[in-house]
Amino acid sequence: MNIIVCIKQVPGSTNVNVDPITGVLIRDGVDSKINPYDLYALETALKLKEDTQGKITALTMGPPMAKDIIKEAYMMGVDEGFILSDRKFAGADVLATSYAISQGVRTVKDYDLIICGKQTTDGDTAQVGPELAEFLNIPHVANVRKIIEIKDDSILVEMDMDHTIEIQEVKFPCLITVEKGIYTPRLPSYKKKLETLNKDIPIFNLNHMEDKREEYYGLKGSPTQVERIFPPEKNSSKILWNGNSDELVEKLSDKLRELKFV
């Protein structure tokens, strides 16, 4: 079985500044990590690899520094990895991102299963996985919480829906997005770190894509655009009152009326 796992590099902290002019996140100098949900996707792939003697390819889109998460994926047991990186991919919404990744997948060509995390911690849209499957014209299921069985030409999975648990059998090639907790992600191996220290990480740009039309990528290919991102204002002011319960209730009531909450 040939498996592709889509992973993303996200800020390692919630303390990320916002450019006051452009309204975008300032990622320079900010520690980054693998999107936590993608760790469950990686572990799912590694479990399937152990059961089927398969091969895993990790794919990410981002700046060249995203090689760090590919290296971490190597240390966990991934066989190959590559980065989609081009300034023309910058500013992409979920649609343009999904399209670019679909073109990246087409460069791999031979795959049976694509695994994505449920969502990312910096976007929380949970749309890229299903949209990727649509661009590739393959079946997909989301919210997978259990792999029941791997068959010769299909995978049987359990899905955690809002009000029900559903079991679906999906024919290969297909895509699944996995829930947090499907497996416990393993730690990177120091032994594998030494083994993969000089392992190549190819970087593909627009020229490597099957579809080279710039209008389908980045800002040009994004029908939706974020107008502005800003951190919420922090209000740490407080008032301390002393008194018995009747006095405190009266003070609180007066304050709520003053603030026009009641």
Side-chain angles (χ1 to χ4, degrees):
M1 173 181 282
N2 292 324
I3 304 169
I4 296 176
V5 183
C6 297
I7 60 178
K8 184 181 181 182
Q9 189 176 52
V10 298
S13 169
T14 57
N15 296 320
V16 182
N17 294 321
V18 177
D19 188 311
I21 298 176
T22 63
V24 301
L25 298 179
I26 301 174
R27 298 178 183 266
D28 293 343
V30 177
D31 290 337
S32 298
K33 63 181 181 181
I34 295 179
N35 173 51
Y37 287 97
D38 295 343
L39 292 173
Y40 299 101
L42 281 168
E43 184 60 33
T44 301
L46 291 165
K47 291 287 188 184
L48 294 177
K49 175 185 174 180
E50 293 168 355
D51 293 340
T52 65
Q53 302 300 311
K55 174 186 175 183
I56 304 174
T57 301
L59 182 161
T60 189
M61 186 173 88
M65 69 178 187
K67 65 182 181 182
D68 290 341
I69 65 170
I70 298 294
K71 288 181 178 180
E72 186 172 344
Y74 284 164
M75 287 187 275
M76 294 176 69
V78 166
D79 301 290
E80 302 291 341
F82 64 94
I83 303 171
L84 303 178
S85 187
D86 194 308
R87 290 190 178 276
K88 295 182 178 67
F89 299 159
D93 68 356
V94 290
L95 188 71
T97 296
S98 303
Y99 189 73
I101 295 174
S102 74
Q103 290 297 303
V105 169
R106 291 181 190 279
T107 66
V108 178
K109 296 181 180 178
D110 185 19
Y111 65 91
D112 301 296
L113 178 64
I114 300 174
I115 306 178
C116 302
K118 177 182 178 180
Q119 61 195 59
T120 60
T121 56
D122 62 348
D124 289 324
T125 65
Q127 294 178 15
V128 170
E131 288 185 8
L132 169 59
E134 288 297 311
F135 280 126
L136 293 170
N137 196 30
I138 59 174
H140 68 277
V141 290
N143 306 97
V144 174
R145 73 172 194 173
K146 183 178 181 182
I147 306 295
I148 299 175
E149 185 181 358
I150 296 292
K151 300 182 180 181
D152 290 338
D153 62 348
S154 65
I155 182 171
L156 191 65
V157 299
E158 187 176 284
M159 305 159 59
D160 188 1
M161 308 304 287
D162 286 339
H163 304 291
T164 60
I165 300 299
E166 296 184 16
I167 294 176
Q168 292 279 355
E169 182 175 354
V170 195
K171 296 288 186 181
F172 296 134
C174 64
L175 180 148
I176 63 173
T177 71
V178 297
E179 286 277 1
K180 177 181 178 181
I182 184 170
Y183 295 109
T184 300
R186 67 192 68 188
L187 294 173
S189 162
Y190 181 71
K191 180 181 178 181
K192 290 187 182 298
K193 178 180 179 179
L194 296 179
E195 291 174 353
T196 61
L197 197 60
N198 298 313
K199 189 173 179 64
D200 187 36
I201 303 176
I203 297 179
F204 296 154
N205 57 34
L206 183 60
N207 292 328
H208 293 92
M209 302 296 102
E210 184 178 293
D211 186 349
K212 298 178 175 59
R213 292 173 292 178
E214 293 185 19
E215 61 268 27
Y216 284 84
Y217 301 89
L219 279 174
K220 292 181 180 180
S222 301
T224 60
Q225 296 180 16
V226 177
E227 182 176 321
R228 187 165 66 98
I229 300 176
F230 57 91
E233 294 183 3
K234 296 181 180 179
N235 185 356
S236 58
S237 62
K238 58 185 177 181
I239 301 174
L240 295 177
W241 292 319
N242 293 315
N244 59 41
S245 58
D246 292 337
E247 292 171 340
L248 293 176
V249 167
E250 184 176 354
K251 289 180 179 180
L252 179 59
S253 177
D254 290 342
K255 190 63 178 178
L256 291 174
R257 280 193 290 270
E258 176 189 335
L259 296 173
K260 298 182 179 180
F261 289 157
V262 295

